[in-house]
Amino acid sequence: MVACRQILYLHMQETILILDFGSQYTQLIARRIRELNVYCEIHPYNNYKKPGPEIKGIVLSGSPHSVKEVGAPEFDLASYMGKLPILGVCYGAQYMADRLGGEVARSQIREYGRSFLLPRAESRLLKNIPTHSQVWMSHGDSILQVPKGFRVSAGTEDIPVAAYEHKEWPVYGIQFHPEVTHSVDGSTLISNFVLDICGCGGSWTPDSFIQSTIDSLRNTIGKERVVLGLSGGVDSSVAALLLHEAIGNQLFCIFVDNGLLRKDEYAQVLHDYMEMGLQIHGVSAGKRFLDALRGVEDPEQKRKIIGRTFIEVFEEEAHKIEDVAWLGQGTIYPDVIESVSVKGPSATIKSHHNVGGLPDFMKLKIVEPLRSLFKDEVRKVGKALGLKPGILNRHPFPGPGLAIRILGAIDEEKVRILQEADAIFIENLKSSGQYAHVWQAGAIFLPVRSVGVMGDERSYEHVICLRAVTSHDGMTADFSHLPHELLAKISSEIINKVKGINRVVYDISSKPPATIEWE
């Protein structure tokens, strides 16, 4: 195998380019555009390629920065004025106004939260948005005067310029955030920009994605062989189905048991994939992983060890397959966003669950057929491909598995305890009907012991924390409001049935500020 990292990109359809200046809402802009069946991509403002003919419009996101501060994010605005439709949101609007000769200053009256739109002029961007429509503000700078050649299209009771636009070109700026649900008619505004002003056709559907991806895979891979690591999750499963549809028996799948899977998951996953008709080889390597992790407490170190050990095991198995040229991966868009580190917008919080520990090069060309999709979009594609519900609706499960749900050092006994507790938790969610309403759930093994009374004896045993969240794509998440009666039932069963646990707690923090996983 020759050392090479060649990534296959699969999309050349009409696209909206979103430039990220660091807003906490940037991913929501992408979500709203995708809901219109229009493809879009997020790129850091300081790290993007010059737009090609497939780019139909540009959105400039908000930012925690002020346009007046030294070192404020800069964008080559002049190169695109009059050539492509542009929508500046919050910082994007302030940036355009300031750099094009208008007046922007620190706000005397800052607007945070709800406000109400007062249209000043007829506007394609504000078409079908009523007077006094509620919008969501979050800005410390205000636009006091628009540049020459522009006009004000809306204000609020507190600020004179809430929306403005060029008199001739399709260039628009808005002080509010249409992407958040608090902006009641925000979806209408985004639709006006994307479908009307940019002229996008709204043809990016699961079926069109499947067909274009299969065609691209066939054209690019040809008669070469692909090896893919399967995990039992929806991402790698959908990636496998797409590759299988495209190249059939040229796809070879490997499933590695790292000893950190859920209870009985290894056997069930192998059975499910064989039923799907995939060529799959299972590797039981739990002892190897646990030996490598012994005594390690640092979360980042755990990820790197698991990533490195997985690569070692995977490469050993892949070398047994002759003439493999490609490595398939189930990378999805949040993986890409969270794993990019640039100045400002996308600082890395942690090594991503699915890519932590990977080296800077791979000894195969890489194909990532899902790297443009959010999680719910992956499920839509999986459903269209006929993926069985048990896999399609399975909660996300991190690549390092229970290693990052056991806080501190890992050993076989802790894995056993957590697997048993987790199985009781998940089974109760399913039997109660709550599983479908939860985006992700799991038990966490805490590195503390607590005093308890079991029978007539004092106990000093481990604590399990239950974590369940609701989310659309994992970028943000709220804790699930599970019924107290259900939580009480789960707690009782875990304490009574799992030896070594005498206390169960429930995590009620949301993301942000917390993450979904504890490590």
Side-chain angles (χ1 to χ4, degrees), residues 262-433:
R262 284 178 154 146
K263 184 180 179 182
D264 300 328
E265 190 170 36
Y266 180 55
Q268 183 61 54
V269 166
L270 281 178
H271 174 76
D272 289 342
Y273 284 138
M274 288 176 183
E275 279 196 336
M276 291 164 58
L278 298 176
Q279 291 187 111
I280 183 164
H281 172 59
V283 184
S284 183
K287 185 178 185 304
R288 183 167 174 176
F289 280 83
L290 291 173
D291 286 346
L293 288 166
R294 207 167 302 280
V296 177
E297 297 186 3
D298 180 72
E300 283 294 295
Q301 193 64 22
K302 287 181 186 178
R303 285 189 180 83
K304 288 179 170 58
I305 289 171
I306 292 169
R308 182 176 64 246
T309 307
F310 174 82
I311 290 169
E312 291 171 357
V313 174
F314 186 85
E315 283 196 330
E316 288 170 10
E317 298 302 321
H319 273 291
K320 297 174 184 178
I321 307 168
E322 295 181 356
D323 302 323
V324 172
W326 293 85
L327 171 67
Q329 291 187 332
T331 309
I332 65 173
Y333 206 31
D335 300 348
V336 175
I337 295 170
E338 288 194 353
S339 299
V340 171
S341 180
V342 297
K343 178 184 176 183
S346 303
T348 301
I349 296 170
K350 58 182 180 296
S351 298
H352 196 273
H353 304 321
N354 296 327
V355 298
L358 291 178
D360 294 332
F361 65 90
M362 295 297 296
K363 296 180 179 179
L364 293 167
K365 294 176 285 185
I366 295 177
V367 54
E368 297 174 314
L370 306 178
R371 68 177 283 120
S372 64
L373 301 184
F374 286 100
K375 176 71 75 172
D376 63 318
E377 294 168 336
V378 174
R379 285 200 169 98
K380 290 177 182 177
V381 169
K383 184 176 181 179
L385 286 167
L387 184 63
K388 59 191 301 185
I391 297 177
L392 182 66
N393 300 319
R394 181 180 184 263
H395 288 175
F397 189 65
L402 300 182
I404 58 171
R405 294 181 179 179
I406 297 174
L407 276 59
I410 300 168
D411 59 40
E412 289 84 353
E413 178 65 6
K414 291 177 182 178
V415 172
R416 180 198 66 79
I417 290 173
L418 187 56
Q419 284 178 331
E420 296 291 339
D422 180 82
I424 291 171
F425 184 26
I426 299 301
E427 181 53 40
N428 271 276
L429 288 178
K430 290 179 177 178
S431 63
S432 67

Side-chain angles (χ1 to χ4, degrees), residues 393-500:
N393 300 319
R394 181 180 184 263
H395 288 175
F397 189 65
L402 300 182
I404 58 171
R405 294 181 179 179
I406 297 174
L407 276 59
I410 300 168
D411 59 40
E412 289 84 353
E413 178 65 6
K414 291 177 182 178
V415 172
R416 180 198 66 79
I417 290 173
L418 187 56
Q419 284 178 331
E420 296 291 339
D422 180 82
I424 291 171
F425 184 26
I426 299 301
E427 181 53 40
N428 271 276
L429 288 178
K430 290 179 177 178
S431 63
S432 67
Q434 291 291 329
Y435 188 86
H437 302 294
V438 172
W439 192 79
Q440 184 169 332
I444 313 295
F445 188 103
L446 301 185
V448 295
R449 290 175 182 263
S450 73
V451 173
V453 177
M454 304 186 78
D456 294 324
E457 297 181 359
R458 176 184 183 275
S459 65
Y460 188 60
E461 296 182 334
H462 299 290
V463 179
I464 288 291
C465 175
L466 305 179
R467 178 74 159 142
V469 299
T470 57
S471 179
H472 289 293
D473 49 39
M475 305 303 293
T476 61
D478 293 319
F479 74 91
S480 298
H481 293 258
L482 298 178
H484 290 180
E485 296 80 3
L486 177 61
L487 289 172
K489 181 175 181 290
I490 294 168
S491 174
S492 178
E493 286 189 30
I494 290 175
I495 291 171
N496 288 332
K497 294 181 179 180
V498 184
K499 185 179 179 181

Side-chain angles (χ1 to χ4, degrees), residues 78-110:
S79 295
Y80 303 105
M81 287 292 294
K83 299 177 182 177
L84 282 171
I86 300 173
L87 174 62
V89 178
C90 200
Y91 178 90
Q94 296 153 8
Y95 180 85
M96 289 196 301
D98 184 74
R99 299 305 191 267
L100 294 175
E103 183 180 355
V104 177
R106 297 300 291 172
S107 302
Q108 297 299 313
I109 301 176
R110 296 189 178 188

